[in-house]
Every structure is written in structure tokens, then in C-alpha cells.
Amino acid sequence: IIGALFAFINILSFGITEYFLKIFRVIAKSPADSFALKLSQIPANNIYVISFLCIIGFIISLFIMGYLYNVIKFSIESKTDFPEFDDILNLLINGAKYFVVSFAYNIIPTILFVVGLSYVQFYNSDYIISILTVLLYIICNFLLIMALSNMIDSNKFSKAFDLKEITSKIANLGWIKYIGIIIFTFIIYAIIMAAFGIVLMFITMFIALAINKAMIILAIISIIQGLFISSYISIFFARVYGSVYREAIK
């Protein structure tokens, strides 16, 4: 089910991109002088379709995040099976909490990056801001892993932002061990994605020989990627998150 949802999101993204390209073509071909007049010539139906597709994609993403929420919970509880995809309302609620926490931890470096660029006054200092932003993104996402698990284990939304408790649990596991596990996990992820990338390249070549249409090929690859790559990788990471947290609270 999760694989099908990922595949559906990939197709939606494909459709959204196609409509955005149509909008860019309209803007590029418009003879109007001002950008406002160019925008006014965009067909309203295109805006409505893009908005509808984005809303549907967001709702599906909440279902996926809600399921990953439950996977982390099962991993913390040392359950080897996978949660059922049954309580739709609960999945949506948990998915919303997962999304808000992830968004909150990533919005801070984003705001700092935007504000920093707005006040750049020194030559080449934008590179410094970019480097600092990347470092802040890394730090926030390292904390996010434990923050999500802390919220899920306690079933309290506020626990995702209890930095004192989060950092104490990381310290209990050991900062070096914690960072090492995460880095090792991402190395494994990179290897897996490289292998899948090679496989997808050959699949694309075979499909291209049979079907000489780029749009159809991209759609097929998007479905394959959603069904067999994104879904398994996401569940893999969710189980790692829960396992790391379980080790930290021993």
C-alpha cells in the first residue's frame, strides 16, 4: 500500500511539473511587458489543477508519514512485524504531527538562510552563510531523528521539542556512537541508491527500446521507483530511527 502511495505521489509530481512547464511556456511566449500582465494570461484552469494536485499529494504524504510514525513506534517496541494500514484517521493525525515536527526543525535554518542573505554586506560572505546553513541543517536533522522518536514513544507532541530530554538520551547512547550510526546508515543508503540507480538505468534503456516516448518512460520509471525504492527506503529509515532510540533509553 505504501509503495502504491509513493508511486501515486510520483505520478502527481510528474503531472504538477507538466502543468508548471505549460505555465512557463505561457509566460515566456507572452508579448506583455510587465510580469503582472504575463501572469494574468495564465489559464485559470492550470492554477486550479496544480492546486488540486498539490492538495491531493499533501494528503497522501500525511498518510505515508503517519504509517512511518507507526513503523518507528513498532521499532521502539521491538516488534518485528509491520503495522497495519487500517486506522485512517489515526494515520492522518500522526502524519500531521510527523510533518509539523519535521517542518519545524527544518524551517529554522531556512529562515536563517533567507535572513542572512537579505543582510549580506560583505564580498563572498554569501558562501559563508551557505556553509553555515548546511551545517545547521545537518545539526537540526540529527536532532530531528531523536525528536521524532521521543514524541512517538511518549505520545506527546511537546516531547519533540524537549531539547534537554532529547540531548540527554543522545548522551546516554553516546554522541559519537549516535552520529556514527546515522552516518553509517546514510552510507548504506547511498550504496543502495547507487545500485538501484544502475538497475533503473538498464530498465530505462530496455523500456526506451520498446517504447520510444519519453513521457511514458518517465511515468513507468516513476511508478517503479515509488513501488520498490522510496517505500522500502523510507521504512528502512523509520526502523533505524526507532532502533537508535531504543538503544538510547536502555
Side-chain angles (χ1 to χ4, degrees):
I1 293 174
I2 294 299
L5 292 179
F6 267 110
F8 190 58
I9 280 185
N10 285 349
I11 295 298
L12 282 177
S13 300
F14 191 67
I16 292 170
T17 302
E18 184 64 21
Y19 272 95
F20 267 119
L21 288 174
K22 289 181 180 179
I23 289 175
F24 290 142
R25 290 191 195 103
V26 170
I27 294 174
K29 293 179 180 179
S30 174
D33 295 328
S34 69
F35 186 67
L37 287 175
K38 290 178 182 287
L39 290 178
S40 66
Q41 295 180 21
I42 298 172
N45 287 338
N46 287 2
I47 303 298
Y48 297 147
V49 171
I50 289 175
S51 300
F52 176 74
L53 292 178
C54 287
I55 291 170
I56 296 299
F58 179 70
I59 293 172
I60 294 173
S61 296
L62 289 182
F63 278 117
I64 293 173
M65 286 185 279
Y67 186 79
L68 296 178
Y69 181 108
N70 292 338
V71 172
I72 294 173
K73 185 174 181 63
F74 270 42
S75 183
I76 292 172
E77 296 171 353
S78 298
K79 294 181 180 179
T80 56
D81 56 338
F82 290 103
E84 295 293 331
F85 198 94
D86 48 7
D87 193 340
I88 302 300
L89 180 60
N90 186 57
L91 285 174
L92 273 175
I93 294 172
N94 290 340
K97 291 191 289 187
Y98 193 108
F99 169 77
V100 171
V101 172
S102 300
F103 180 81
Y105 271 83
N106 283 281
I107 195 63
I108 297 171
T110 302
I111 291 174
L112 290 176
F113 177 70
V114 173
V115 172
L117 286 183
S118 301
Y119 289 92
V120 167
Q121 296 178 353
F122 301 102
Y123 182 72
N124 283 340
S125 58
D126 53 332
Y127 293 106
I128 297 173
I129 292 173
S130 299
I131 293 170
L132 291 175
T133 303
V134 170
L135 290 174
L136 193 56
Y137 268 117
I138 293 172
I139 292 169
C140 287
N141 280 278
F142 268 107
L143 293 173
L144 173 63
I145 293 170
M146 190 62 72
L148 284 169
S149 299
N150 199 46
M151 172 186 69
I152 293 168
D153 183 43
S154 62
N155 199 27
K156 293 181 180 179
F157 180 74
S158 60
K159 289 294 184 179
F161 304 98
D162 190 341
L163 293 178
K164 183 177 179 181
E165 186 173 316
I166 291 168
T167 53
S168 67
K169 287 178 178 177
I170 295 175
N172 186 53
L173 177 64
W175 282 94
I176 294 176
K177 184 177 180 181
Y178 177 72
I179 294 172
I181 291 171
I182 303 303
I183 292 175
F184 179 75
T185 302
F186 275 95
I187 291 173
I188 297 298
Y189 164 77
I191 294 171
I192 292 172
M193 291 306 296
F196 274 123
I198 294 171
V199 172
L200 282 178
M201 181 182 68
F202 283 107
I203 292 175
T204 303
M205 290 169 59
F206 283 119
I207 296 174
L209 291 173
I211 307 171
N212 192 21
K213 291 186 178 180
M215 302 295 282
I216 296 176
I217 294 171
L218 288 173
I220 293 172
I221 294 301
S222 295
I223 292 172
I224 293 173
Q225 198 268 345
L227 283 172
F228 303 110
I229 301 176
S230 297
S231 54
Y232 285 95
I233 289 294
S234 297
I235 291 174
F236 165 71
F237 272 108
R239 290 194 67 88
V240 170
Y241 292 177
S243 299
V244 171
Y245 181 85
R246 188 175 66 245
E247 291 295 317
I249 60 176
K250 282 184 177 179

PDB file of all heavy atoms in Angstrom, residues 1-2 5 9 56-70 85-96:
ATOM      1  N   ILE A   1       0.838  -1.204   0.000  1.00  0.00           N
ATOM      2  CA  ILE A   1       0.000   0.000   0.000  1.00  0.00           C
ATOM      3  C   ILE A   1       0.874   1.256   0.000  1.00  0.00           C
ATOM      4  O   ILE A   1       0.632   2.200  -0.756  1.00  0.00           O
ATOM      5  CB  ILE A   1      -0.947  -0.002   1.224  1.00  0.00           C
ATOM      6  CG1 ILE A   1      -1.970  -1.143   1.105  1.00  0.00           C
ATOM      7  CG2 ILE A   1      -1.689   1.335   1.327  1.00  0.00           C
ATOM      8  CD1 ILE A   1      -2.842  -1.314   2.327  1.00  0.00           C
ATOM      9  N   ILE A   2       1.889   1.260   0.862  1.00  0.00           N
ATOM     10  CA  ILE A   2       2.785   2.421   0.919  1.00  0.00           C
ATOM     11  C   ILE A   2       3.507   2.605  -0.418  1.00  0.00           C
ATOM     12  O   ILE A   2       3.681   3.730  -0.894  1.00  0.00           O
ATOM     13  CB  ILE A   2       3.805   2.265   2.067  1.00  0.00           C
ATOM     14  CG1 ILE A   2       3.094   2.284   3.415  1.00  0.00           C
ATOM     15  CG2 ILE A   2       4.843   3.373   2.026  1.00  0.00           C
ATOM     16  CD1 ILE A   2       2.343   3.575   3.692  1.00  0.00           C
ATOM     17  N   LEU A   5       1.172   4.240  -2.763  1.00  0.00           N
ATOM     18  CA  LEU A   5       1.016   5.660  -2.442  1.00  0.00           C
ATOM     19  C   LEU A   5       2.214   6.470  -2.931  1.00  0.00           C
ATOM     20  O   LEU A   5       2.062   7.571  -3.470  1.00  0.00           O
ATOM     21  CB  LEU A   5       0.830   5.847  -0.931  1.00  0.00           C
ATOM     22  CG  LEU A   5      -0.484   5.322  -0.339  1.00  0.00           C
ATOM     23  CD1 LEU A   5      -0.521   5.541   1.166  1.00  0.00           C
ATOM     24  CD2 LEU A   5      -1.687   5.995  -1.001  1.00  0.00           C
ATOM     25  N   ILE A   9       2.169   9.428  -5.698  1.00  0.00           N
ATOM     26  CA  ILE A   9       2.754  10.761  -5.470  1.00  0.00           C
ATOM     27  C   ILE A   9       3.730  11.114  -6.592  1.00  0.00           C
ATOM     28  O   ILE A   9       3.779  12.256  -7.056  1.00  0.00           O
ATOM     29  CB  ILE A   9       3.462  10.815  -4.103  1.00  0.00           C
ATOM     30  CG1 ILE A   9       2.442  11.010  -2.994  1.00  0.00           C
ATOM     31  CG2 ILE A   9       4.491  11.944  -4.048  1.00  0.00           C
ATOM     32  CD1 ILE A   9       3.028  11.188  -1.627  1.00  0.00           C
ATOM     33  N   ILE A  56      -3.947  17.014  -3.017  1.00  0.00           N
ATOM     34  CA  ILE A  56      -4.047  15.541  -3.002  1.00  0.00           C
ATOM     35  C   ILE A  56      -2.706  14.935  -2.619  1.00  0.00           C
ATOM     36  O   ILE A  56      -2.635  14.009  -1.794  1.00  0.00           O
ATOM     37  CB  ILE A  56      -4.497  15.006  -4.379  1.00  0.00           C
ATOM     38  CG1 ILE A  56      -5.901  15.489  -4.712  1.00  0.00           C
ATOM     39  CG2 ILE A  56      -4.443  13.481  -4.402  1.00  0.00           C
ATOM     40  CD1 ILE A  56      -6.973  15.037  -3.741  1.00  0.00           C
ATOM     41  N   GLY A  57      -1.625  15.461  -3.196  1.00  0.00           N
ATOM     42  CA  GLY A  57      -0.290  14.948  -2.880  1.00  0.00           C
ATOM     43  C   GLY A  57       0.065  15.141  -1.416  1.00  0.00           C
ATOM     44  O   GLY A  57       0.664  14.257  -0.794  1.00  0.00           O
ATOM     45  N   PHE A  58      -0.323  16.281  -0.852  1.00  0.00           N
ATOM     46  CA  PHE A  58      -0.040  16.551   0.557  1.00  0.00           C
ATOM     47  C   PHE A  58      -0.800  15.589   1.466  1.00  0.00           C
ATOM     48  O   PHE A  58      -0.245  15.067   2.444  1.00  0.00           O
ATOM     49  CB  PHE A  58      -0.406  18.004   0.894  1.00  0.00           C
ATOM     50  CG  PHE A  58      -0.173  18.365   2.336  1.00  0.00           C
ATOM     51  CD1 PHE A  58       1.113  18.470   2.834  1.00  0.00           C
ATOM     52  CD2 PHE A  58      -1.244  18.587   3.183  1.00  0.00           C
ATOM     53  CE1 PHE A  58       1.334  18.790   4.170  1.00  0.00           C
ATOM     54  CE2 PHE A  58      -1.036  18.917   4.513  1.00  0.00           C
ATOM     55  CZ  PHE A  58       0.252  19.018   5.010  1.00  0.00           C
ATOM     56  N   ILE A  59      -2.069  15.330   1.144  1.00  0.00           N
ATOM     57  CA  ILE A  59      -2.876  14.405   1.953  1.00  0.00           C
ATOM     58  C   ILE A  59      -2.278  13.001   1.919  1.00  0.00           C
ATOM     59  O   ILE A  59      -2.173  12.321   2.947  1.00  0.00           O
ATOM     60  CB  ILE A  59      -4.337  14.386   1.458  1.00  0.00           C
ATOM     61  CG1 ILE A  59      -4.996  15.749   1.739  1.00  0.00           C
ATOM     62  CG2 ILE A  59      -5.128  13.269   2.146  1.00  0.00           C
ATOM     63  CD1 ILE A  59      -6.369  15.902   1.123  1.00  0.00           C
ATOM     64  N   ILE A  60      -1.865  12.565   0.736  1.00  0.00           N
ATOM     65  CA  ILE A  60      -1.241  11.240   0.610  1.00  0.00           C
ATOM     66  C   ILE A  60       0.066  11.192   1.398  1.00  0.00           C
ATOM     67  O   ILE A  60       0.378  10.193   2.049  1.00  0.00           O
ATOM     68  CB  ILE A  60      -0.997  10.901  -0.873  1.00  0.00           C
ATOM     69  CG1 ILE A  60      -2.334  10.739  -1.600  1.00  0.00           C
ATOM     70  CG2 ILE A  60      -0.184   9.614  -1.013  1.00  0.00           C
ATOM     71  CD1 ILE A  60      -2.210  10.563  -3.085  1.00  0.00           C
ATOM     72  N   SER A  61       0.825  12.295   1.350  1.00  0.00           N
ATOM     73  CA  SER A  61       2.076  12.362   2.121  1.00  0.00           C
ATOM     74  C   SER A  61       1.814  12.219   3.613  1.00  0.00           C
ATOM     75  O   SER A  61       2.601  11.589   4.328  1.00  0.00           O
ATOM     76  CB  SER A  61       2.794  13.692   1.846  1.00  0.00           C
ATOM     77  OG  SER A  61       3.180  13.784   0.498  1.00  0.00           O
ATOM     78  N   LEU A  62       0.705  12.781   4.092  1.00  0.00           N
ATOM     79  CA  LEU A  62       0.355  12.647   5.508  1.00  0.00           C
ATOM     80  C   LEU A  62       0.082  11.190   5.859  1.00  0.00           C
ATOM     81  O   LEU A  62       0.466  10.712   6.935  1.00  0.00           O
ATOM     82  CB  LEU A  62      -0.869  13.511   5.832  1.00  0.00           C
ATOM     83  CG  LEU A  62      -0.671  15.029   5.831  1.00  0.00           C
ATOM     84  CD1 LEU A  62      -1.976  15.736   6.220  1.00  0.00           C
ATOM     85  CD2 LEU A  62       0.447  15.445   6.783  1.00  0.00           C
ATOM     86  N   PHE A  63      -0.588  10.466   4.965  1.00  0.00           N
ATOM     87  CA  PHE A  63      -0.827   9.036   5.189  1.00  0.00           C
ATOM     88  C   PHE A  63       0.502   8.276   5.299  1.00  0.00           C
ATOM     89  O   PHE A  63       0.681   7.433   6.175  1.00  0.00           O
ATOM     90  CB  PHE A  63      -1.662   8.435   4.049  1.00  0.00           C
ATOM     91  CG  PHE A  63      -3.135   8.668   4.192  1.00  0.00           C
ATOM     92  CD1 PHE A  63      -3.825   9.414   3.260  1.00  0.00           C
ATOM     93  CD2 PHE A  63      -3.833   8.141   5.267  1.00  0.00           C
ATOM     94  CE1 PHE A  63      -5.191   9.636   3.390  1.00  0.00           C
ATOM     95  CE2 PHE A  63      -5.192   8.346   5.412  1.00  0.00           C
ATOM     96  CZ  PHE A  63      -5.879   9.101   4.463  1.00  0.00           C
ATOM     97  N   ILE A  64       1.422   8.599   4.398  1.00  0.00           N
ATOM     98  CA  ILE A  64       2.729   7.935   4.406  1.00  0.00           C
ATOM     99  C   ILE A  64       3.485   8.238   5.694  1.00  0.00           C
ATOM    100  O   ILE A  64       4.034   7.339   6.340  1.00  0.00           O
ATOM    101  CB  ILE A  64       3.559   8.361   3.177  1.00  0.00           C
ATOM    102  CG1 ILE A  64       2.924   7.824   1.894  1.00  0.00           C
ATOM    103  CG2 ILE A  64       5.001   7.866   3.296  1.00  0.00           C
ATOM    104  CD1 ILE A  64       3.574   8.324   0.621  1.00  0.00           C
ATOM    105  N   MET A  65       3.506   9.529   6.067  1.00  0.00           N
ATOM    106  CA  MET A  65       4.204   9.914   7.299  1.00  0.00           C
ATOM    107  C   MET A  65       3.541   9.307   8.529  1.00  0.00           C
ATOM    108  O   MET A  65       4.212   8.940   9.498  1.00  0.00           O
ATOM    109  CB  MET A  65       4.263  11.444   7.408  1.00  0.00           C
ATOM    110  CG  MET A  65       5.270  12.075   6.457  1.00  0.00           C
ATOM    111  SD  MET A  65       5.455  13.862   6.653  1.00  0.00           S
ATOM    112  CE  MET A  65       4.048  14.440   5.714  1.00  0.00           C
ATOM    113  N   GLY A  66       2.211   9.169   8.496  1.00  0.00           N
ATOM    114  CA  GLY A  66       1.505   8.519   9.596  1.00  0.00           C
ATOM    115  C   GLY A  66       1.885   7.057   9.719  1.00  0.00           C
ATOM    116  O   GLY A  66       2.034   6.528  10.834  1.00  0.00           O
ATOM    117  N   TYR A  67       2.077   6.403   8.584  1.00  0.00           N
ATOM    118  CA  TYR A  67       2.494   4.998   8.616  1.00  0.00           C
ATOM    119  C   TYR A  67       3.926   4.872   9.126  1.00  0.00           C
ATOM    120  O   TYR A  67       4.236   3.992   9.930  1.00  0.00           O
ATOM    121  CB  TYR A  67       2.372   4.373   7.225  1.00  0.00           C
ATOM    122  CG  TYR A  67       2.653   2.890   7.232  1.00  0.00           C
ATOM    123  CD1 TYR A  67       1.691   1.983   7.649  1.00  0.00           C
ATOM    124  CD2 TYR A  67       3.894   2.400   6.841  1.00  0.00           C
ATOM    125  CE1 TYR A  67       1.942   0.626   7.678  1.00  0.00           C
ATOM    126  CE2 TYR A  67       4.164   1.044   6.874  1.00  0.00           C
ATOM    127  CZ  TYR A  67       3.177   0.164   7.286  1.00  0.00           C
ATOM    128  OH  TYR A  67       3.439  -1.184   7.332  1.00  0.00           O
ATOM    129  N   LEU A  68       4.807   5.772   8.681  1.00  0.00           N
ATOM    130  CA  LEU A  68       6.198   5.762   9.156  1.00  0.00           C
ATOM    131  C   LEU A  68       6.246   6.037  10.657  1.00  0.00           C
ATOM    132  O   LEU A  68       7.104   5.485  11.369  1.00  0.00           O
ATOM    133  CB  LEU A  68       7.028   6.792   8.394  1.00  0.00           C
ATOM    134  CG  LEU A  68       7.186   6.539   6.887  1.00  0.00           C
ATOM    135  CD1 LEU A  68       7.983   7.659   6.248  1.00  0.00           C
ATOM    136  CD2 LEU A  68       7.845   5.191   6.624  1.00  0.00           C
ATOM    137  N   TYR A  69       5.353   6.874  11.142  1.00  0.00           N
ATOM    138  CA  TYR A  69       5.197   7.134  12.581  1.00  0.00           C
ATOM    139  C   TYR A  69       4.973   5.807  13.315  1.00  0.00           C
ATOM    140  O   TYR A  69       5.625   5.515  14.325  1.00  0.00           O
ATOM    141  CB  TYR A  69       4.014   8.076  12.766  1.00  0.00           C
ATOM    142  CG  TYR A  69       3.699   8.503  14.185  1.00  0.00           C
ATOM    143  CD1 TYR A  69       3.964   9.800  14.608  1.00  0.00           C
ATOM    144  CD2 TYR A  69       3.088   7.631  15.084  1.00  0.00           C
ATOM    145  CE1 TYR A  69       3.647  10.212  15.901  1.00  0.00           C
ATOM    146  CE2 TYR A  69       2.767   8.030  16.366  1.00  0.00           C
ATOM    147  CZ  TYR A  69       3.046   9.323  16.772  1.00  0.00           C
ATOM    148  OH  TYR A  69       2.728   9.713  18.049  1.00  0.00           O
ATOM    149  N   ASN A  70       4.064   4.990  12.769  1.00  0.00           N
ATOM    150  CA  ASN A  70       3.759   3.700  13.396  1.00  0.00           C
ATOM    151  C   ASN A  70       4.914   2.704  13.262  1.00  0.00           C
ATOM    152  O   ASN A  70       5.130   1.875  14.148  1.00  0.00           O
ATOM    153  CB  ASN A  70       2.485   3.109  12.787  1.00  0.00           C
ATOM    154  CG  ASN A  70       1.241   3.907  13.154  1.00  0.00           C
ATOM    155  OD1 ASN A  70       1.236   4.636  14.147  1.00  0.00           O
ATOM    156  ND2 ASN A  70       0.194   3.789  12.360  1.00  0.00           N
ATOM    157  N   PHE A  85      -2.322  -1.061   7.964  1.00  0.00           N
ATOM    158  CA  PHE A  85      -2.758   0.192   7.340  1.00  0.00           C
ATOM    159  C   PHE A  85      -4.282   0.240   7.459  1.00  0.00           C
ATOM    160  O   PHE A  85      -5.009   0.067   6.492  1.00  0.00           O
ATOM    161  CB  PHE A  85      -2.329   0.225   5.871  1.00  0.00           C
ATOM    162  CG  PHE A  85      -2.329   1.595   5.268  1.00  0.00           C
ATOM    163  CD1 PHE A  85      -1.171   2.353   5.249  1.00  0.00           C
ATOM    164  CD2 PHE A  85      -3.473   2.142   4.733  1.00  0.00           C
ATOM    165  CE1 PHE A  85      -1.152   3.621   4.687  1.00  0.00           C
ATOM    166  CE2 PHE A  85      -3.477   3.413   4.172  1.00  0.00           C
ATOM    167  CZ  PHE A  85      -2.307   4.150   4.149  1.00  0.00           C
ATOM    168  N   ASP A  86      -4.764   0.466   8.691  1.00  0.00           N
ATOM    169  CA  ASP A  86      -6.199   0.342   8.902  1.00  0.00           C
ATOM    170  C   ASP A  86      -6.863   1.609   9.443  1.00  0.00           C
ATOM    171  O   ASP A  86      -7.834   2.093   8.873  1.00  0.00           O
ATOM    172  CB  ASP A  86      -6.499  -0.840   9.834  1.00  0.00           C
ATOM    173  CG  ASP A  86      -5.630  -0.849  11.074  1.00  0.00           C
ATOM    174  OD1 ASP A  86      -4.897   0.123  11.280  1.00  0.00           O
ATOM    175  OD2 ASP A  86      -5.681  -1.835  11.837  1.00  0.00           O
ATOM    176  N   ASP A  87      -6.346   2.177  10.545  1.00  0.00           N
ATOM    177  CA  ASP A  87      -6.971   3.335  11.168  1.00  0.00           C
ATOM    178  C   ASP A  87      -6.597   4.609  10.389  1.00  0.00           C
ATOM    179  O   ASP A  87      -5.582   5.247  10.663  1.00  0.00           O
ATOM    180  CB  ASP A  87      -6.524   3.445  12.632  1.00  0.00           C
ATOM    181  CG  ASP A  87      -7.359   4.431  13.417  1.00  0.00           C
ATOM    182  OD1 ASP A  87      -8.006   5.293  12.791  1.00  0.00           O
ATOM    183  OD2 ASP A  87      -7.365   4.353  14.661  1.00  0.00           O
ATOM    184  N   ILE A  88      -7.440   4.976   9.427  1.00  0.00           N
ATOM    185  CA  ILE A  88      -7.137   6.085   8.521  1.00  0.00           C
ATOM    186  C   ILE A  88      -7.011   7.409   9.272  1.00  0.00           C
ATOM    187  O   ILE A  88      -6.078   8.186   9.033  1.00  0.00           O
ATOM    188  CB  ILE A  88      -8.225   6.207   7.429  1.00  0.00           C
ATOM    189  CG1 ILE A  88      -8.342   4.893   6.646  1.00  0.00           C
ATOM    190  CG2 ILE A  88      -7.907   7.363   6.490  1.00  0.00           C
ATOM    191  CD1 ILE A  88      -7.068   4.481   5.952  1.00  0.00           C
ATOM    192  N   LEU A  89      -7.963   7.668  10.183  1.00  0.00           N
ATOM    193  CA  LEU A  89      -7.938   8.934  10.925  1.00  0.00           C
ATOM    194  C   LEU A  89      -6.672   9.046  11.776  1.00  0.00           C
ATOM    195  O   LEU A  89      -6.041  10.113  11.825  1.00  0.00           O
ATOM    196  CB  LEU A  89      -9.178   9.044  11.809  1.00  0.00           C
ATOM    197  CG  LEU A  89      -9.303  10.327  12.647  1.00  0.00           C
ATOM    198  CD1 LEU A  89      -9.329  11.552  11.741  1.00  0.00           C
ATOM    199  CD2 LEU A  89     -10.549  10.277  13.528  1.00  0.00           C
ATOM    200  N   ASN A  90      -6.298   7.952  12.431  1.00  0.00           N
ATOM    201  CA  ASN A  90      -5.097   7.941  13.261  1.00  0.00           C
ATOM    202  C   ASN A  90      -3.840   8.177  12.406  1.00  0.00           C
ATOM    203  O   ASN A  90      -2.916   8.887  12.832  1.00  0.00           O
ATOM    204  CB  ASN A  90      -4.985   6.608  13.996  1.00  0.00           C
ATOM    205  CG  ASN A  90      -3.839   6.588  14.994  1.00  0.00           C
ATOM    206  OD1 ASN A  90      -3.762   7.418  15.886  1.00  0.00           O
ATOM    207  ND2 ASN A  90      -2.938   5.634  14.820  1.00  0.00           N
ATOM    208  N   LEU A  91      -3.822   7.596  11.218  1.00  0.00           N
ATOM    209  CA  LEU A  91      -2.685   7.800  10.312  1.00  0.00           C
ATOM    210  C   LEU A  91      -2.568   9.271   9.919  1.00  0.00           C
ATOM    211  O   LEU A  91      -1.467   9.826   9.866  1.00  0.00           O
ATOM    212  CB  LEU A  91      -2.837   6.938   9.063  1.00  0.00           C
ATOM    213  CG  LEU A  91      -2.564   5.441   9.203  1.00  0.00           C
ATOM    214  CD1 LEU A  91      -2.911   4.718   7.912  1.00  0.00           C
ATOM    215  CD2 LEU A  91      -1.109   5.191   9.573  1.00  0.00           C
ATOM    216  N   LEU A  92      -3.698   9.912   9.655  1.00  0.00           N
ATOM    217  CA  LEU A  92      -3.684  11.321   9.276  1.00  0.00           C
ATOM    218  C   LEU A  92      -3.195  12.204  10.429  1.00  0.00           C
ATOM    219  O   LEU A  92      -2.384  13.115  10.219  1.00  0.00           O
ATOM    220  CB  LEU A  92      -5.091  11.770   8.852  1.00  0.00           C
ATOM    221  CG  LEU A  92      -5.467  11.545   7.384  1.00  0.00           C
ATOM    222  CD1 LEU A  92      -6.926  11.927   7.156  1.00  0.00           C
ATOM    223  CD2 LEU A  92      -4.566  12.339   6.457  1.00  0.00           C
ATOM    224  N   ILE A  93      -3.674  11.913  11.640  1.00  0.00           N
ATOM    225  CA  ILE A  93      -3.269  12.695  12.814  1.00  0.00           C
ATOM    226  C   ILE A  93      -1.775  12.527  13.079  1.00  0.00           C
ATOM    227  O   ILE A  93      -1.044  13.507  13.277  1.00  0.00           O
ATOM    228  CB  ILE A  93      -4.085  12.275  14.055  1.00  0.00           C
ATOM    229  CG1 ILE A  93      -5.560  12.650  13.868  1.00  0.00           C
ATOM    230  CG2 ILE A  93      -3.529  12.934  15.316  1.00  0.00           C
ATOM    231  CD1 ILE A  93      -6.478  12.114  14.937  1.00  0.00           C
ATOM    232  N   ASN A  94      -1.326  11.270  13.069  1.00  0.00           N
ATOM    233  CA  ASN A  94       0.103  11.012  13.302  1.00  0.00           C
ATOM    234  C   ASN A  94       0.964  11.588  12.183  1.00  0.00           C
ATOM    235  O   ASN A  94       2.073  12.082  12.423  1.00  0.00           O
ATOM    236  CB  ASN A  94       0.354   9.514  13.439  1.00  0.00           C
ATOM    237  CG  ASN A  94      -0.206   8.939  14.724  1.00  0.00           C
ATOM    238  OD1 ASN A  94      -0.448   9.683  15.686  1.00  0.00           O
ATOM    239  ND2 ASN A  94      -0.417   7.641  14.769  1.00  0.00           N
ATOM    240  N   GLY A  95       0.447  11.515  10.959  1.00  0.00           N
ATOM    241  CA  GLY A  95       1.176  12.089   9.824  1.00  0.00           C
ATOM    242  C   GLY A  95       1.308  13.591   9.944  1.00  0.00           C
ATOM    243  O   GLY A  95       2.354  14.159   9.609  1.00  0.00           O
ATOM    244  N   ALA A  96       0.252  14.239  10.448  1.00  0.00           N
ATOM    245  CA  ALA A  96       0.293  15.695  10.640  1.00  0.00           C
ATOM    246  C   ALA A  96       1.333  16.056  11.696  1.00  0.00           C
ATOM    247  O   ALA A  96       2.085  17.026  11.528  1.00  0.00           O
ATOM    248  CB  ALA A  96      -1.090  16.202  11.054  1.00  0.00           C
TER     249      ALA A  96
END
